[in-house]
Amino acid sequence: MSIADYWRLEAPRFRLEATKCTNCDKIYFPPKRVCPICNNDELIHMDLSGRGRLITFTKVEKPAVEFEYMGPYYVGIVELEEGIRISASIVDVAEEQIKEGMPLELAFRKYYAIGDEGIVYYGYKFRPPL
Ligand SMILES: [Zn+2]
């Protein structure tokens, strides 16, 4: 990811910022400027709740180099209360604990770092509610 893309996506990544169409009420994450359903360009910003449930998941046994520090780890599809489905890492969960339908909440964590003293990228992941 380029530095420009990183900053452009900062709000969605840190606050789960979405947009909602003022005409048809469809919610978009990441945010869109124009509703692709009704072509309305008056979309309002909203923060998603960060609360949802696990739809499905898989265990990543052999992570890519940037994510080796996490491995093995879980990646899942989380359906938020607002009906939005997000692909994200599932953290702080044991193998015997993770199951479809379990409640989850937003957690901000390290994604990866470039170099030993380089830029550290952070973003959203999901965990069981505390
Ligand atoms: Zn619309």
Side-chain angles (χ1 to χ4, degrees), residues 18-126:
T19 51
K20 182 177 184 178
C21 177
T22 56
N23 183 48
C24 72
D25 289 337
K26 177 82 174 154
I27 299 171
Y28 296 100
F29 180 83
K32 289 187 183 292
R33 292 172 190 242
V34 176
C35 177
I37 294 175
C38 68
N39 289 325
N40 178 24
D41 64 357
E42 292 181 14
L43 279 66
I44 56 172
H45 286 265
M46 62 179 287
D47 291 340
L48 299 171
S49 67
R51 293 183 300 274
R53 64 189 177 93
L54 184 58
I55 299 297
T56 189
F57 67 95
T58 189
K59 185 177 184 181
V60 178
E61 295 278 0
K62 299 282 183 193
V65 173
E66 301 95 319
F67 304 108
E68 280 180 344
Y69 74 94
M70 293 170 54
Y73 66 97
Y74 297 99
V75 172
I77 304 293
V78 179
E79 185 173 86
L80 299 178
E81 291 176 341
E82 296 86 355
I84 300 293
R85 289 187 173 189
I86 296 177
S87 170
S89 296
I90 313 301
V91 297
D92 301 344
V93 63
E95 185 155 359
E96 61 275 9
Q97 184 187 17
I98 191 166
K99 65 179 188 231
E100 292 174 1
M102 71 184 295
L104 294 170
E105 69 179 16
L106 181 66
F108 290 101
R109 297 290 168 81
K110 175 183 170 183
Y111 277 1
Y112 59 91
I114 298 176
D116 291 336
E117 298 176 10
I119 298 169
V120 177
Y121 290 88
Y122 291 90
Y124 58 81
K125 297 183 181 182
F126 284 84

